[in-house]
Amino acid sequence: MATERTFSIIKPDATRRNLTGRINAKFEEAGLRIVAQRRAHLTQAQAEAFYGVHRERPFFGGLVTFMTSGPVVLQVLEGEDAVAANRRIMGATNPANAEPGTIRKEFAEDIEANSVHGSDSAENAATEIAFFFKPEDIVG
């Protein structure tokens, strides 16, 4: 197992319900460290660029609208196999299919308002981290 970094967003549905601390506790209890974090309100341009891979998908417009609807918490998480660990902690994209104890099972409102985003690979994590953070923002 290798120490790596991954990217996470606590989405507007979760920040609106003041769940940031409870979600962060789940990351930390699972052995991940938060090495960079900031609260932001994504602009439409940022959301469209960040989720650009989904531009041709029917849910793209709704996703951009949702992700700009309120503040988010942008994070870099670090730990052993952080990408896979974060994916386990988050649970399935559809909260109806998520395992008990996962963030999405406990906190998600629905498949879109599912409380968190997490990188799906180490390569995407590096790209997503660089989209929002400068190297000096990350304190290990």
Side-chain angles (χ1 to χ4, degrees):
M1 297 182 136
T3 298
E4 65 185 4
R5 289 179 175 162
T6 192
F7 179 72
S8 172
I9 300 175
I10 300 177
K11 294 181 177 181
D13 64 294
T15 62
R16 182 182 70 249
R17 293 177 291 140
N18 294 318
L19 296 174
T20 301
R22 292 172 67 187
I23 291 170
N24 282 345
K26 286 197 168 286
F27 295 142
E28 291 176 333
E29 288 164 7
L32 295 175
R33 293 179 343 126
I34 300 165
V35 295
Q37 180 179 52
R38 80 167 183 273
R39 192 172 178 93
H41 198 134
L42 299 182
T43 66
Q44 182 165 339
Q46 284 175 313
E48 287 175 351
F50 184 78
Y51 288 105
V53 65
H54 300 299
R55 187 171 302 281
E56 302 304 319
R57 309 285 294 273
F59 61 81
F60 179 74
L63 176 61
V64 169
T65 298
F66 169 65
M67 290 301 293
T68 59
S69 69
V72 298
V73 177
L74 308 166
Q75 301 176 306
V76 179
L77 308 176
E78 183 177 83
E80 294 295 318
D81 291 318
V83 173
N86 186 38
R87 307 277 311 159
R88 283 191 304 276
I89 297 161
M90 289 189 311
T93 301
N94 184 343
N97 301 330
E99 294 290 322
T102 62
I103 292 168
R104 289 174 173 156
K105 188 63 156 188
E106 289 189 22
F107 303 126
E109 295 177 319
D110 57 45
I111 195 167
E112 181 180 74
N114 63 11
S115 299
V116 285
H117 162 90
S119 302
D120 61 2
S121 69
E123 297 77 23
N124 284 342
T127 300
E128 292 177 345
I129 289 167
F131 189 91
F132 288 108
F133 292 97
K134 294 181 233 149
E136 61 267 22
D137 295 332
I138 302 169
V139 181

